[in-house]
Amino acid sequence: MHERAAEFAERARDRHDIDLEVVEFDAGTKTAAAAADAVGCDTAAIASTIVVSLSEPEREAGPDDLIAAITSGANRLDLDAVAERFGATAATMADPGQIREVVGWSIGGVPPVCHDAALPTVFDPTLTEYDTVYGAAGTPSALFAVSPDALADLAGATVVDLTE
């Protein structure tokens, strides 16, 4: 198992007292469609973690201005809705370097839980329509399965629709 996928599984055990089975795929799971193909599920059952940077006109966004959005792979995040939800002037996709530095994971493999920093987190209600959803496990080729209720709870997420 890739060391980052193993690290994710270990963090889940240590932080949340849960054993998540991490499965790796040779073909990769970088996109929601690829992940869905790999596990044989609907694209909508893929729990994609998107890190967003909130901004205000009078200052540059910093690490405290990041939020995580766990969205269904079938939906697009509405950045204007995210900004409105968090009372910010604007919301943009966070810088990959900042994501790696603050969250501790690289884009393409950012898991919905086990971040280096606690981020406010929102959860797409579309995911609650499934018995099982699949999230990234630290690399672009590793996934884990979990119930949507357990995932929202582990992430400390608020279920709210912020999709287009």
Side-chain angles (χ1 to χ4, degrees):
M1 179 180 297
H2 189 279
E3 66 183 56
R4 293 295 282 164
E7 179 183 350
F8 168 77
E10 184 178 324
R11 283 188 186 194
R13 248 187 326 278
D14 293 347
R15 292 183 186 181
H16 302 289
D17 197 29
I18 187 170
D19 285 317
L20 298 173
E21 181 182 353
V22 174
V23 180
E24 294 180 290
F25 299 90
D26 291 336
T29 57
K30 226 175 188 179
T31 67
D37 286 346
V39 296
C41 70
D42 292 341
T43 302
I46 300 300
S48 300
T49 304
I50 301 166
V51 180
V52 175
S53 180
L54 305 173
S55 62
E56 296 298 327
E58 62 275 355
R59 66 180 168 78
E60 187 175 319
D64 292 337
D65 298 310
L66 297 180
I67 66 104
I70 303 169
T71 62
S72 163
N75 295 336
R76 287 184 53 94
L77 187 62
D78 183 337
L79 293 172
D80 292 335
V82 171
E84 183 178 326
R85 169 77 184 186
F86 288 94
T89 303
T92 58
M93 302 301 275
D95 174 75
Q98 187 180 36
I99 293 170
R100 177 69 177 104
E101 181 181 323
V102 175
V103 180
W105 304 98
S106 298
I107 58 171
V110 176
V113 297
C114 299
H115 303 154
D116 286 351
L119 301 179
T121 304
V122 293
F123 192 87
D124 183 346
T126 300
L127 293 167
T128 66
E129 299 171 12
Y130 292 88
D131 293 332
T132 302
V133 295
Y134 301 86
T139 76
S141 61
L143 295 172
F144 70 98
V146 65
S147 76
D149 290 340
L151 182 55
D153 185 52
L154 291 170
T158 300
V159 178
V160 59
D161 189 359
L162 299 176
T163 62
E164 293 180 348

